[in-house]
Amino acid sequence: MLADRFCFPCALGKTGLTVNKREGDGATSILVTRPLYGFYRADREAKPRSRLAFRPLHRAMGWCDAPDHPSYNQQVRLPFSTSHEEMWRQDALYDLIVVLDINISVRKKGRGSALFMHVARPGYLPTEGCIALSKPDFRQLLTGLSPNTRIQIGR
């Protein structure tokens, strides 16, 4: 992953890279995007030093991944009756999250949801389509991120 002057090893989607992202395909989109804002687990992490806006996660946070729902690819409040991802996780993957502008500014049904930058599993095991970095690299990257940063994925 390349973000402005930073280049870091990262984990990508379990089915590789794609230019034709589809909901649930396990792939990471090949594109240039930008970070929008972030979340952090205040019970585990200090608020990151960053020019991005960061808010603490809470237990009632989810992210809708149901393409036919009006809240598709948006944060939702739990309980939520339609398909969604829970943001408050037992593992450390979502201790730090950056929401990327992938299918958000221009939202298209079925083109992917919850495509975040988050903490990598040990050994950089593949993701469901997100970009995952080690926590030290992520923290370093956050100090240089702003809404104007361009993040290149693939190529």
Side-chain angles (χ1 to χ4, degrees), residues 73-86:
N73 200 23
Q74 296 178 59
Q75 182 187 332
V76 294
R77 183 166 178 79
L78 303 180
F80 189 70
S81 61
T82 304
S83 181
H84 64 278
E85 176 142 0
E86 292 187 16

PDB file of all heavy atoms in Angstrom, residues 73-86:
ATOM      1  N   ASN A  73     -23.706   0.234   3.189  1.00  0.00           N
ATOM      2  CA  ASN A  73     -22.362   0.799   3.310  1.00  0.00           C
ATOM      3  C   ASN A  73     -22.337   2.082   4.136  1.00  0.00           C
ATOM      4  O   ASN A  73     -21.653   3.041   3.806  1.00  0.00           O
ATOM      5  CB  ASN A  73     -21.704   1.026   1.949  1.00  0.00           C
ATOM      6  CG  ASN A  73     -20.195   1.127   2.077  1.00  0.00           C
ATOM      7  OD1 ASN A  73     -19.607   0.636   3.034  1.00  0.00           O
ATOM      8  ND2 ASN A  73     -19.564   1.764   1.120  1.00  0.00           N
ATOM      9  N   GLN A  74     -23.087   2.056   5.232  1.00  0.00           N
ATOM     10  CA  GLN A  74     -23.110   3.168   6.173  1.00  0.00           C
ATOM     11  C   GLN A  74     -23.110   2.624   7.593  1.00  0.00           C
ATOM     12  O   GLN A  74     -23.546   1.504   7.846  1.00  0.00           O
ATOM     13  CB  GLN A  74     -24.372   4.012   5.978  1.00  0.00           C
ATOM     14  CG  GLN A  74     -24.452   4.689   4.628  1.00  0.00           C
ATOM     15  CD  GLN A  74     -25.737   5.453   4.485  1.00  0.00           C
ATOM     16  OE1 GLN A  74     -26.027   6.351   5.270  1.00  0.00           O
ATOM     17  NE2 GLN A  74     -26.527   5.101   3.472  1.00  0.00           N
ATOM     18  N   GLN A  75     -22.649   3.459   8.506  1.00  0.00           N
ATOM     19  CA  GLN A  75     -22.693   3.110   9.924  1.00  0.00           C
ATOM     20  C   GLN A  75     -24.147   3.027  10.356  1.00  0.00           C
ATOM     21  O   GLN A  75     -24.974   3.841   9.934  1.00  0.00           O
ATOM     22  CB  GLN A  75     -21.961   4.172  10.737  1.00  0.00           C
ATOM     23  CG  GLN A  75     -21.927   3.860  12.215  1.00  0.00           C
ATOM     24  CD  GLN A  75     -21.340   5.007  13.009  1.00  0.00           C
ATOM     25  OE1 GLN A  75     -20.520   5.775  12.515  1.00  0.00           O
ATOM     26  NE2 GLN A  75     -21.766   5.131  14.243  1.00  0.00           N
ATOM     27  N   VAL A  76     -24.453   2.033  11.191  1.00  0.00           N
ATOM     28  CA  VAL A  76     -25.803   1.854  11.729  1.00  0.00           C
ATOM     29  C   VAL A  76     -25.713   1.606  13.225  1.00  0.00           C
ATOM     30  O   VAL A  76     -24.651   1.274  13.752  1.00  0.00           O
ATOM     31  CB  VAL A  76     -26.557   0.690  11.038  1.00  0.00           C
ATOM     32  CG1 VAL A  76     -26.822   1.013   9.574  1.00  0.00           C
ATOM     33  CG2 VAL A  76     -25.808  -0.622  11.179  1.00  0.00           C
ATOM     34  N   ARG A  77     -26.840   1.760  13.887  1.00  0.00           N
ATOM     35  CA  ARG A  77     -26.917   1.506  15.324  1.00  0.00           C
ATOM     36  C   ARG A  77     -27.457   0.097  15.551  1.00  0.00           C
ATOM     37  O   ARG A  77     -28.445  -0.294  14.932  1.00  0.00           O
ATOM     38  CB  ARG A  77     -27.818   2.550  15.988  1.00  0.00           C
ATOM     39  CG  ARG A  77     -27.901   2.390  17.486  1.00  0.00           C
ATOM     40  CD  ARG A  77     -28.505   3.614  18.135  1.00  0.00           C
ATOM     41  NE  ARG A  77     -28.620   3.459  19.553  1.00  0.00           N
ATOM     42  CZ  ARG A  77     -27.631   3.603  20.426  1.00  0.00           C
ATOM     43  NH1 ARG A  77     -26.436   3.923  19.992  1.00  0.00           N
ATOM     44  NH2 ARG A  77     -27.825   3.426  21.715  1.00  0.00           N
ATOM     45  N   LEU A  78     -26.811  -0.641  16.438  1.00  0.00           N
ATOM     46  CA  LEU A  78     -27.242  -1.989  16.795  1.00  0.00           C
ATOM     47  C   LEU A  78     -28.196  -1.926  17.976  1.00  0.00           C
ATOM     48  O   LEU A  78     -28.047  -1.043  18.822  1.00  0.00           O
ATOM     49  CB  LEU A  78     -26.032  -2.852  17.138  1.00  0.00           C
ATOM     50  CG  LEU A  78     -24.964  -2.971  16.048  1.00  0.00           C
ATOM     51  CD1 LEU A  78     -23.828  -3.854  16.526  1.00  0.00           C
ATOM     52  CD2 LEU A  78     -25.540  -3.480  14.749  1.00  0.00           C
ATOM     53  N   PRO A  79     -29.156  -2.824  18.065  1.00  0.00           N
ATOM     54  CA  PRO A  79     -29.403  -3.923  17.142  1.00  0.00           C
ATOM     55  C   PRO A  79     -29.934  -3.409  15.800  1.00  0.00           C
ATOM     56  O   PRO A  79     -30.636  -2.402  15.740  1.00  0.00           O
ATOM     57  CB  PRO A  79     -30.437  -4.788  17.859  1.00  0.00           C
ATOM     58  CG  PRO A  79     -31.122  -3.866  18.808  1.00  0.00           C
ATOM     59  CD  PRO A  79     -30.127  -2.801  19.171  1.00  0.00           C
ATOM     60  N   PHE A  80     -29.607  -4.143  14.757  1.00  0.00           N
ATOM     61  CA  PHE A  80     -29.978  -3.799  13.384  1.00  0.00           C
ATOM     62  C   PHE A  80     -30.459  -5.081  12.737  1.00  0.00           C
ATOM     63  O   PHE A  80     -29.736  -6.080  12.719  1.00  0.00           O
ATOM     64  CB  PHE A  80     -28.758  -3.223  12.661  1.00  0.00           C
ATOM     65  CG  PHE A  80     -29.040  -2.626  11.325  1.00  0.00           C
ATOM     66  CD1 PHE A  80     -29.742  -1.437  11.206  1.00  0.00           C
ATOM     67  CD2 PHE A  80     -28.582  -3.235  10.167  1.00  0.00           C
ATOM     68  CE1 PHE A  80     -29.988  -0.871   9.966  1.00  0.00           C
ATOM     69  CE2 PHE A  80     -28.819  -2.676   8.925  1.00  0.00           C
ATOM     70  CZ  PHE A  80     -29.522  -1.490   8.825  1.00  0.00           C
ATOM     71  N   SER A  81     -31.669  -5.067  12.196  1.00  0.00           N
ATOM     72  CA  SER A  81     -32.303  -6.316  11.758  1.00  0.00           C
ATOM     73  C   SER A  81     -31.766  -6.870  10.440  1.00  0.00           C
ATOM     74  O   SER A  81     -31.970  -8.039  10.143  1.00  0.00           O
ATOM     75  CB  SER A  81     -33.815  -6.113  11.653  1.00  0.00           C
ATOM     76  OG  SER A  81     -34.098  -5.112  10.698  1.00  0.00           O
ATOM     77  N   THR A  82     -31.092  -6.052   9.652  1.00  0.00           N
ATOM     78  CA  THR A  82     -30.580  -6.491   8.355  1.00  0.00           C
ATOM     79  C   THR A  82     -29.104  -6.848   8.482  1.00  0.00           C
ATOM     80  O   THR A  82     -28.446  -6.507   9.462  1.00  0.00           O
ATOM     81  CB  THR A  82     -30.799  -5.363   7.325  1.00  0.00           C
ATOM     82  OG1 THR A  82     -32.191  -5.046   7.309  1.00  0.00           O
ATOM     83  CG2 THR A  82     -30.395  -5.755   5.941  1.00  0.00           C
ATOM     84  N   SER A  83     -28.551  -7.495   7.467  1.00  0.00           N
ATOM     85  CA  SER A  83     -27.149  -7.919   7.476  1.00  0.00           C
ATOM     86  C   SER A  83     -26.216  -6.741   7.760  1.00  0.00           C
ATOM     87  O   SER A  83     -26.362  -5.659   7.184  1.00  0.00           O
ATOM     88  CB  SER A  83     -26.802  -8.557   6.125  1.00  0.00           C
ATOM     89  OG  SER A  83     -25.462  -8.989   6.121  1.00  0.00           O
ATOM     90  N   HIS A  84     -25.274  -6.956   8.668  1.00  0.00           N
ATOM     91  CA  HIS A  84     -24.360  -5.892   9.079  1.00  0.00           C
ATOM     92  C   HIS A  84     -23.089  -6.483   9.674  1.00  0.00           C
ATOM     93  O   HIS A  84     -23.028  -7.668   9.986  1.00  0.00           O
ATOM     94  CB  HIS A  84     -25.029  -4.989  10.114  1.00  0.00           C
ATOM     95  CG  HIS A  84     -25.352  -5.716  11.383  1.00  0.00           C
ATOM     96  ND1 HIS A  84     -26.492  -6.489  11.515  1.00  0.00           N
ATOM     97  CD2 HIS A  84     -24.680  -5.841  12.554  1.00  0.00           C
ATOM     98  CE1 HIS A  84     -26.508  -7.029  12.723  1.00  0.00           C
ATOM     99  NE2 HIS A  84     -25.412  -6.656  13.375  1.00  0.00           N
ATOM    100  N   GLU A  85     -22.107  -5.640   9.807  1.00  0.00           N
ATOM    101  CA  GLU A  85     -20.863  -5.984  10.479  1.00  0.00           C
ATOM    102  C   GLU A  85     -20.876  -5.289  11.834  1.00  0.00           C
ATOM    103  O   GLU A  85     -21.263  -4.131  11.942  1.00  0.00           O
ATOM    104  CB  GLU A  85     -19.679  -5.487   9.655  1.00  0.00           C
ATOM    105  CG  GLU A  85     -18.361  -5.709  10.330  1.00  0.00           C
ATOM    106  CD  GLU A  85     -17.273  -6.112   9.369  1.00  0.00           C
ATOM    107  OE1 GLU A  85     -17.515  -6.221   8.171  1.00  0.00           O
ATOM    108  OE2 GLU A  85     -16.166  -6.331   9.866  1.00  0.00           O
ATOM    109  N   GLU A  86     -20.437  -6.004  12.883  1.00  0.00           N
ATOM    110  CA  GLU A  86     -20.317  -5.391  14.206  1.00  0.00           C
ATOM    111  C   GLU A  86     -18.954  -4.726  14.300  1.00  0.00           C
ATOM    112  O   GLU A  86     -17.937  -5.339  13.994  1.00  0.00           O
ATOM    113  CB  GLU A  86     -20.493  -6.438  15.299  1.00  0.00           C
ATOM    114  CG  GLU A  86     -21.908  -6.965  15.349  1.00  0.00           C
ATOM    115  CD  GLU A  86     -22.162  -7.889  16.525  1.00  0.00           C
ATOM    116  OE1 GLU A  86     -21.349  -7.900  17.478  1.00  0.00           O
ATOM    117  OE2 GLU A  86     -23.181  -8.592  16.477  1.00  0.00           O
TER     118      GLU A  86
END
